[in-house]
Amino acid sequence: MANPRLLPAAFLWLKKSAKKHWAIPTVGFTILIVFALTFFSDQSSDNPSTFRPNFDSTADDDFVDLTLVHRAKDKGAFCLDGSLPAYHFQKGFGSGSSNWLLHIEGGGWCNTLESCTRRQVTPLGSSKYMEPQVRFSGILSRYPTQNPEFFNWNKVKIRYCDGASLAGHPESEFKNGTKLYFRGQRIWEVLMEELLSLGMSNAKQALLSGCSAGGLATLIHCDNFRDLLPKDATVKCLADAGKMLVEIIP
Ligand SMILES: *[C@@H]1O[C@H](CO)[C@@H](O)[C@H](O)[C@H]1NC(C)=O
């Protein structure tokens, strides 16, 4: 299932169909963008000054720093604008210290030169615009009352900045001086290298998850994720609302 060529093909299909039947992708993407905006505005209001859960979270200590993937430079694994990809990592503890939960951020796709160019100056296209810290809540929370299954696992929020569900390939880039990088597949590869080096190579249990465009990325990379981890590890994938499949399969 992990066919890295599927996505660029779909990208081209969307580009072509955008000319002929512009209405379908336009309506589809408008719905997605509205969905994404709702999702993000929900998240941004989710900070300690406006949101105080009435259980054991009392301080700002559930904010987790952004880490740039420096090794990505040598591998040519870049966000849409050519900046380094990034993630947030919180180390596991106690009985969770050999378990890994990865969550791939969502945010739709860009499907035209214009929409991908616009993304280059947003957190979904450039690590230069990403918040230096994000709050880990829900499945990423480190509080057992909020997150009884995974609170003490190693937890990673993977930032999404390639515009194509971590599956873009440089062959799809314009060869005429247009500065747009489609390097999602390489971002996936260097991220896995980095996390394996941080201890994921000894994982006993691992869950790859993602929402929306991140849900689709989860589907695309699930088999590879399984192959990278120890044979005796329990590995699962959770694709939450990776519903963009409906749009890309004609
Ligand atoms: C490069 O090619 C794309 C797609 O054909 C076109 O839209 C764009 O304007 C071109 N850029 C330059 C700098 O010529």
Side-chain angles (χ1 to χ4, degrees):
M1 94 162 342
N3 179 357
R5 298 194 175 265
L6 171 71
L7 270 278
F11 178 81
L12 287 175
W13 177 81
L14 273 171
K15 269 182 61 195
K16 277 193 209 131
S17 79
K19 285 190 191 119
K20 277 185 271 171
H21 309 290
W22 55 270
I24 298 168
T26 305
V27 170
F29 268 82
T30 306
I31 292 169
L32 255 165
I33 285 162
V34 169
F35 173 78
L37 286 176
T38 314
F39 180 73
F40 285 116
S41 60
D42 280 357
Q43 280 204 329
S44 57
S45 65
D46 200 22
N47 67 49
S49 56
T50 56
F51 174 78
R52 278 221 179 264
N54 55 357
F55 24 81
D56 47 5
S57 157
T58 50
D60 295 350
D61 59 357
D62 39 8
F63 278 82
V64 180
D65 288 339
L66 185 76
T67 305
L68 295 177
V69 188
H70 290 286
R71 72 178 74 219
K73 193 161 180 240
D74 293 341
K75 300 277 163 64
F78 301 124
C79 298
L80 281 170
D81 70 331
S83 61
L84 293 174
Y87 63 96
H88 306 261
F89 171 57
Q90 193 174 62
K91 202 168 164 42
F93 56 93
S95 60
S97 46
S98 301
N99 298 337
W100 287 73
L101 170 69
L102 276 49
H103 186 81
I104 307 172
E105 179 184 27
W109 280 10
C110 60
N111 68 333
T112 60
L113 182 57
E114 290 72 28
S115 62
C116 291
T117 302
R118 275 197 303 275
R119 250 177 210 243
Q120 288 184 306
V121 291
T122 75
L124 289 174
S126 169
S127 55
K128 288 183 205 149
Y129 294 87
M130 291 175 188
E131 318 84 308
Q133 293 188 317
V134 295
R135 185 165 184 269
F136 271 22
S137 59
I139 201 172
L140 291 173
S141 168
R142 67 191 194 85
Y143 298 105
T145 46
Q146 262 189 50
N147 189 16
E149 306 296 335
F150 307 108
F151 71 98
N152 60 359
W153 289 32
N154 294 283
K155 289 182 257 85
V156 183
K157 176 166 177 159
I158 296 174
R159 299 303 296 257
Y160 169 47
C161 68
D162 74 302
S165 288
L166 293 182
H169 269 262
E171 299 92 85
S172 319
E173 287 169 6
F174 303 110
K175 309 285 185 255
N176 60 1
T178 301
K179 290 265 185 300
L180 264 179
Y181 295 83
F182 300 135
R183 305 286 173 95
Q185 176 64 30
R186 291 191 189 180
I187 294 177
W188 167 259
E189 287 164 14
V190 294
L191 260 169
M192 289 306 107
E193 241 180 60
E194 178 127 337
L195 299 178
L196 288 165
S197 78
L198 288 175
M200 198 173 74
S201 57
N202 298 315
K204 294 206 167 64
Q205 300 186 79
L207 175 62
L208 175 64
S209 69
C211 182
S212 188
L216 183 52
T218 301
L219 284 177
I220 292 167
H221 295 295
C222 182
D223 290 349
N224 177 244
F225 184 62
R226 164 64 277 190
D227 291 344
L228 291 170
L229 295 172
K231 293 285 159 276
D232 58 349
T234 304
V235 181
K236 306 214 169 175
C237 298
L238 169 69
D240 178 10
K243 62 178 178 182
M244 298 165 80
L245 280 172
V246 175
E247 283 188 58
I248 63 172
I249 296 174

